[in-house]
Structure formats: structure tokens, C-alpha cells
Amino acid sequence: MADRFRAFCKDEILTYAYLLLYIALSSGQIFFNKWVLSSKEINFPYPLGLTLLHMVFSSVLCFMLTKVLKIMKVEEGMTADIYATSVVPIGAMFAMTLWLGNTAYLYISVAFAQMLKAIMPVAVFVLGVAAGLEIMSCRMLLIMSVISFGVLVASYGEIDINWVGVVYQMGGVVGEALRLIFMEIFVKRKGLKLNPISVMYYVSPCSALCLLIPWIFLEKPKMEAHGSWNFPPFVLLLNCLCTFALNLSVFLVITHTSALTIRVAGVVKDWVVVLLSALLFADTKLTVINLFGYGIAIAGVAAYNNHKLKKEASRASVDDSKANINESELAESEPLVASSASSK
């Protein structure tokens, strides 16, 4: 009994440690990117180039860990057809999400960017309905309306609103929603399930290529015209390493809990980012209307997560009941098979 209690406490402590690690790394990476891109700090105003470096670093590190050092394993089953029809769209949307999301930090505050991200469930649901993955219902329509209203109120309370930054952030939200939709189609229709390391191994090079093409035309000429810049290589390496560590923390959390848990942890992380950004960055000025609207949006997000939890639980129970029925049918058929074999 005592051993079971100690094992339970150890698992609980480990789970919360992984959650805290994810929240810390996710929040830290957002602040780190803002610090690097900000004209008042490192002043490296090339979000496309920064994102490209992240993807190249992730590709090289994944290759080293899986193929050279063989510390981690890449799951088999990938074909050229699956890569072209599934991984390439996911990689392109992932590149779009990171590029536009990082670019938004040049125009709007970190806090306001997080508030706009609360609209994500709405984008995922609308695109899911269009793709036939979600079903429109009065309950979901109400939840989406609450989230949208909250984001609108939060935007109304923004003092220094920059519509260019809003457009970039909304573009990043649409890109992330499309990535999640493609991921769901990938799993459901292709029937191939990959762990996050395998996903990073396959997606990162594709995302890097998708970022390289626009970087050559949009940012490379500016960087060459600027000449050299004072960007310490150690800061660059640490920034890329933090991005990779964040992806690994997501893997650890999902492995020890569930995808829903990481969504809930993401809500906590968003509040941490919003409140801390007001202390760390001078361009963040929170208002009562900001926080009130964001609170409404988060309440809608919580309702959405609760709805998804119930849906996943009911789906799991249906799958279990089907499995039990199949096992009972198999048990009933075994005597018939045995009797027919003996009669021969």
C-alpha cells in the first residue's frame, strides 16, 4: 500500500513538473522571440529569417538524435504519397503560423497577441465544419460566439492597436487552425500515427524549405543591404535550442497526460504571458476592458475544452464497447469452429 502511494505521488509530481516545464518554456520562448525581434532590445527585425533558423536547427538536431546518435526513434510507415499529400501541407501551414506569428510581434504587444490567439478554437471549428470533421450545433455556436465576443471586447480595450499586426496575428491563427485540421485528416484518413519526434523529423525540413523561398525574396536583400549586425551567436543558438526544447516538452506532457491537458495548460500559459508581458515590456499597457474581454474569451475556451473532453470520453467508451462486442462474438464462434473441426 505504501509503495503504491509513493508511486502515485511520484507520478503526480512528475506530471506537474512536465506541465510547469511546458508553461515555462512556452512563455519563455514567446518572450525570447519578442526580445530578439524588438528594435529596443536585440533588434533583429527578420522574423522570417529567425523562423527559418529554428526549422533548420530542428531538422539538423532531429537527424542527429534519430539517425546518428540513435537516442530517439522515428516511426516507420511514411511513404512518398503520404509525405506529399499530408506532411507537405502540414509543414507549409506550420511555417506560415510561425512566420506570421513572429512578424506580429513587430507591430503589437505580446499580451495583445495572446488575446487574439484566443480566437483559435473558432477558426479550428469553422474550418473543421467546412472539412466535414465537425458538426454544427447550437451549443458549439454559443461557445464560438462567446469566444468571438470576448476577443472583440479585448481588442476594443487595446490602447495602441496596430491593424497590420492584427492581420499578421490572424493570419497566424488561420495557419495554425489549418495545420490542426490537416493533422486530424492525416491521422484519420491516412491511418498513420506519429509521435512528436517523428512529426518534427518529417515536418521541420519541409517547413524550412517553405520558409527559405519567401526569405530569399523578402528578407535576404534587406539583410545584405544592412550588412553585419550585432547578434551574438550564443543568443541565436540558445533561441533555437529553446524552440526545440519546447517541442520536446509538448511530447512529454502528451505522453504522461493527454492532448486536452496540454490545451488546459496552454490557457494557464496564456494568462501568465499576458500578465508578465505587462511587467517586462514597455509597449504593453493592459486596460480593464482588455482583461475583461480576455476573461470572457478564456471562459469560452474552457467551455470548448470541456466539450471536447466529453466528446473524446464518449468516443472512447463507444470504442471500448465495440471491442467488448467483438471479443464476445469471437468467444462464441470458437466452440463452433472446434466442433466443426472435430466432426471432420
Side-chain angles (χ1 to χ4, degrees):
M1 188 70 179
D3 291 338
R4 289 183 180 179
F5 179 74
R6 278 196 294 268
F8 174 77
C9 290
K10 184 179 179 180
D11 289 340
E12 288 292 305
I13 292 172
L14 199 60
T15 299
Y16 282 111
Y18 287 144
L19 286 172
L20 289 174
L21 178 65
Y22 162 72
I23 293 171
L25 285 173
S26 185
S27 305
Q29 186 62 32
I30 290 171
F31 293 137
F32 203 166
N33 287 344
K34 174 69 174 179
W35 184 61
V36 169
L37 296 168
S38 175
S39 60
K40 299 177 182 178
E41 305 295 342
I42 293 294
N43 191 23
F44 184 76
Y46 306 109
L48 184 51
L50 183 65
T51 309
L52 175 60
L53 288 172
H54 289 165
M55 290 298 99
V56 172
F57 181 85
S58 179
S59 301
V60 173
L61 197 55
C62 279
F63 179 80
M64 292 294 293
L65 291 173
T66 57
K67 299 301 181 181
V68 179
L69 301 176
K70 296 183 179 180
I71 298 174
M72 297 176 180
K73 183 182 177 182
V74 176
E75 295 181 11
E76 304 296 332
M78 181 63 64
T79 63
D81 177 64
I82 293 176
Y83 194 90
T85 58
S86 298
V87 175
V88 171
I90 291 170
M93 291 303 102
F94 190 43
M96 174 182 168
T97 300
L98 297 175
W99 170 22
L100 297 181
N102 284 333
T103 304
Y105 292 141
L106 296 176
Y107 301 95
I108 59 178
S109 67
V110 171
F112 187 45
Q114 292 304 118
M115 292 178 185
L116 292 176
K117 281 183 183 178
I119 202 74
M120 177 69 68
V122 178
V124 173
F125 180 72
V126 171
L127 291 172
V129 171
L133 300 174
E134 297 281 357
I135 300 174
M136 182 66 72
S137 65
C138 294
R139 180 190 178 92
M140 289 302 294
L141 191 61
L142 177 62
I143 292 173
M144 297 302 114
S145 300
V146 170
I147 296 174
S148 302
F149 177 72
V151 172
L152 285 175
V153 172
S155 302
Y156 179 78
E158 181 68 10
I159 297 174
D160 301 318
I161 190 167
N162 186 309
W163 290 106
V164 175
V166 171
V167 170
Y168 274 119
Q169 186 62 36
M170 288 295 100
V173 167
V174 172
E176 177 64 7
L178 285 171
R179 185 184 75 87
L180 294 174
I181 294 297
F182 286 144
M183 284 288 287
E184 189 167 353
I185 293 173
F186 179 45
V187 171
K188 282 187 176 180
R189 297 184 183 174
K190 303 296 182 180
L192 184 63
K193 295 184 179 181
L194 302 175
N195 61 41
I197 291 295
S198 300
V199 172
M200 288 168 61
Y201 177 83
Y202 290 118
V203 171
S204 295
C206 177
S207 297
L209 182 61
C210 291
L211 291 165
L212 177 64
I213 297 171
W215 175 79
I216 292 173
F217 295 100
L218 297 177
E219 286 189 355
K220 186 173 180 288
K222 295 179 183 178
M223 296 175 74
E224 290 176 345
H226 183 273
S228 61
W229 63 89
N230 296 321
F231 191 10
F234 175 74
V235 174
L236 173 62
L237 179 63
L238 187 60
N239 186 262
C240 293
L241 196 59
C242 284
T243 302
F244 188 81
L246 173 60
N247 291 328
L248 281 183
S249 71
V250 173
F251 167 67
L252 290 172
V253 172
I254 292 177
T255 302
H256 285 80
T257 56
S258 66
L260 182 68
T261 302
I262 204 165
R263 287 203 295 266
V264 175
V267 172
V268 177
K269 179 264 298 181
D270 290 342
W271 271 110
V272 170
V273 171
V274 168
L275 297 177
L276 281 181
S277 62
L279 301 174
L280 298 176
F281 296 103
D283 64 345
T284 302
K285 297 178 179 64
L286 296 177
T287 65
V288 175
I289 299 177
N290 266 153
L291 296 175
F292 178 70
Y294 189 53
I296 294 174
I298 289 299
V301 172
Y304 173 78
N305 287 336
N306 183 58
H307 176 77
K308 295 292 286 186
L309 175 62
K310 291 181 178 178
K311 187 176 179 181
E312 290 173 6
S314 63
R315 186 183 301 165
S317 63
V318 169
D319 292 339
D320 289 341
S321 62
K322 287 182 178 179
N324 292 332
I325 291 173
N326 291 334
E327 287 178 2
S328 63
E329 288 177 350
L330 181 63
E332 290 175 359
S333 63
E334 283 177 352
L336 295 176
V337 174
S339 62
S340 62
S342 61
S343 63
K344 290 180 182 180

mmCIF file of all heavy atoms in Angstrom, residues 76 86 123 130 161 196 201 231 250 253 258 279 330 340 342:
data_model
loop_
_atom_site.group_PDB
_atom_site.id
_atom_site.type_symbol
_atom_site.label_atom_id
_atom_site.label_comp_id
_atom_site.label_asym_id
_atom_site.label_seq_id
_atom_site.Cartn_x
_atom_site.Cartn_y
_atom_site.Cartn_z
ATOM 1 N N GLU A 76 8.209 4.136 -38.432
ATOM 2 C CA GLU A 76 8.192 3.780 -39.849
ATOM 3 C C GLU A 76 6.770 3.910 -40.414
ATOM 4 O O GLU A 76 5.802 4.104 -39.697
ATOM 5 C CB GLU A 76 8.710 2.349 -40.031
ATOM 6 C CG GLU A 76 10.103 2.110 -39.458
ATOM 7 C CD GLU A 76 11.169 2.933 -40.151
ATOM 8 O OE1 GLU A 76 10.991 3.257 -41.339
ATOM 9 O OE2 GLU A 76 12.181 3.259 -39.499
ATOM 10 N N SER A 86 0.177 14.865 -47.210
ATOM 11 C CA SER A 86 -0.135 15.181 -45.815
ATOM 12 C C SER A 86 0.948 16.005 -45.127
ATOM 13 O O SER A 86 0.673 17.057 -44.559
ATOM 14 C CB SER A 86 -0.375 13.892 -45.023
ATOM 15 O OG SER A 86 -1.481 13.185 -45.532
ATOM 16 N N ALA A 123 -11.588 29.429 -35.219
ATOM 17 C CA ALA A 123 -11.032 29.133 -36.541
ATOM 18 C C ALA A 123 -10.979 27.630 -36.791
ATOM 19 O O ALA A 123 -11.333 27.161 -37.879
ATOM 20 C CB ALA A 123 -9.627 29.738 -36.648
ATOM 21 N N ALA A 130 -16.228 23.048 -42.316
ATOM 22 C CA ALA A 130 -16.067 23.097 -43.763
ATOM 23 C C ALA A 130 -15.442 21.813 -44.311
ATOM 24 O O ALA A 130 -15.774 21.370 -45.424
ATOM 25 C CB ALA A 130 -15.208 24.303 -44.150
ATOM 26 N N ILE A 161 -3.645 50.017 -30.795
ATOM 27 C CA ILE A 161 -3.914 48.922 -31.713
ATOM 28 C C ILE A 161 -3.274 49.201 -33.072
ATOM 29 O O ILE A 161 -3.326 50.317 -33.582
ATOM 30 C CB ILE A 161 -5.442 48.690 -31.866
ATOM 31 C CG1 ILE A 161 -5.712 47.393 -32.632
ATOM 32 C CG2 ILE A 161 -6.121 49.885 -32.524
ATOM 33 C CD1 ILE A 161 -7.154 46.936 -32.557
ATOM 34 N N PRO A 196 5.569 12.973 -31.590
ATOM 35 C CA PRO A 196 6.046 14.317 -31.933
ATOM 36 C C PRO A 196 7.468 14.366 -32.487
ATOM 37 O O PRO A 196 7.776 15.213 -33.317
ATOM 38 C CB PRO A 196 5.957 15.070 -30.596
ATOM 39 C CG PRO A 196 4.828 14.394 -29.884
ATOM 40 C CD PRO A 196 4.938 12.955 -30.262
ATOM 41 N N TYR A 201 10.730 15.381 -37.195
ATOM 42 C CA TYR A 201 11.710 14.856 -38.144
ATOM 43 C C TYR A 201 11.231 15.046 -39.585
ATOM 44 O O TYR A 201 12.019 15.410 -40.476
ATOM 45 C CB TYR A 201 11.960 13.382 -37.846
ATOM 46 C CG TYR A 201 12.904 12.692 -38.810
ATOM 47 C CD1 TYR A 201 14.278 12.789 -38.635
ATOM 48 C CD2 TYR A 201 12.406 11.959 -39.877
ATOM 49 C CE1 TYR A 201 15.151 12.154 -39.517
ATOM 50 C CE2 TYR A 201 13.270 11.327 -40.765
ATOM 51 C CZ TYR A 201 14.635 11.426 -40.584
ATOM 52 O OH TYR A 201 15.489 10.806 -41.463
ATOM 53 N N PHE A 231 24.489 40.393 -33.515
ATOM 54 C CA PHE A 231 23.613 39.351 -32.988
ATOM 55 C C PHE A 231 24.504 38.236 -32.462
ATOM 56 O O PHE A 231 25.039 37.447 -33.241
ATOM 57 C CB PHE A 231 22.682 38.838 -34.077
ATOM 58 C CG PHE A 231 21.569 37.961 -33.574
ATOM 59 C CD1 PHE A 231 21.304 37.821 -32.211
ATOM 60 C CD2 PHE A 231 20.763 37.271 -34.461
ATOM 61 C CE1 PHE A 231 20.288 37.017 -31.758
ATOM 62 C CE2 PHE A 231 19.735 36.459 -34.015
ATOM 63 C CZ PHE A 231 19.504 36.337 -32.653
ATOM 64 N N VAL A 250 6.229 19.442 -25.094
ATOM 65 C CA VAL A 250 4.884 19.070 -25.549
ATOM 66 C C VAL A 250 4.776 17.550 -25.629
ATOM 67 O O VAL A 250 3.771 16.958 -25.201
ATOM 68 C CB VAL A 250 4.585 19.704 -26.925
ATOM 69 C CG1 VAL A 250 3.264 19.182 -27.481
ATOM 70 C CG2 VAL A 250 4.545 21.222 -26.813
ATOM 71 N N VAL A 253 4.466 16.105 -22.049
ATOM 72 C CA VAL A 253 3.161 16.350 -21.436
ATOM 73 C C VAL A 253 2.100 15.425 -22.035
ATOM 74 O O VAL A 253 1.308 14.813 -21.318
ATOM 75 C CB VAL A 253 2.745 17.827 -21.598
ATOM 76 C CG1 VAL A 253 1.298 18.033 -21.142
ATOM 77 C CG2 VAL A 253 3.665 18.725 -20.777
ATOM 78 N N SER A 258 -2.528 14.003 -21.560
ATOM 79 C CA SER A 258 -3.338 13.906 -22.772
ATOM 80 C C SER A 258 -3.225 15.213 -23.548
ATOM 81 O O SER A 258 -2.699 16.210 -23.050
ATOM 82 C CB SER A 258 -4.817 13.647 -22.425
ATOM 83 O OG SER A 258 -5.357 14.763 -21.743
ATOM 84 N N LEU A 279 4.761 43.497 -17.242
ATOM 85 C CA LEU A 279 5.886 43.850 -16.371
ATOM 86 C C LEU A 279 7.206 43.931 -17.134
ATOM 87 O O LEU A 279 8.084 44.731 -16.778
ATOM 88 C CB LEU A 279 6.014 42.821 -15.246
ATOM 89 C CG LEU A 279 4.797 42.644 -14.323
ATOM 90 C CD1 LEU A 279 5.043 41.487 -13.364
ATOM 91 C CD2 LEU A 279 4.523 43.928 -13.553
ATOM 92 N N LEU A 330 -16.181 -13.367 -30.883
ATOM 93 C CA LEU A 330 -15.095 -14.300 -31.156
ATOM 94 C C LEU A 330 -15.140 -15.499 -30.218
ATOM 95 O O LEU A 330 -14.935 -16.639 -30.625
ATOM 96 C CB LEU A 330 -13.750 -13.570 -31.013
ATOM 97 C CG LEU A 330 -12.485 -14.402 -31.284
ATOM 98 C CD1 LEU A 330 -12.477 -14.887 -32.732
ATOM 99 C CD2 LEU A 330 -11.239 -13.572 -30.985
ATOM 100 N N SER A 340 -16.779 -28.167 -35.485
ATOM 101 C CA SER A 340 -16.709 -28.497 -36.889
ATOM 102 C C SER A 340 -15.403 -29.191 -37.224
ATOM 103 O O SER A 340 -15.339 -30.099 -38.061
ATOM 104 C CB SER A 340 -16.851 -27.223 -37.739
ATOM 105 O OG SER A 340 -15.780 -26.318 -37.471
ATOM 106 N N SER A 342 -13.700 -31.143 -35.142
ATOM 107 C CA SER A 342 -13.740 -32.495 -34.593
ATOM 108 C C SER A 342 -14.615 -33.406 -35.442
ATOM 109 O O SER A 342 -14.370 -34.614 -35.524
ATOM 110 C CB SER A 342 -14.249 -32.453 -33.143
ATOM 111 O OG SER A 342 -15.569 -31.929 -33.117
#
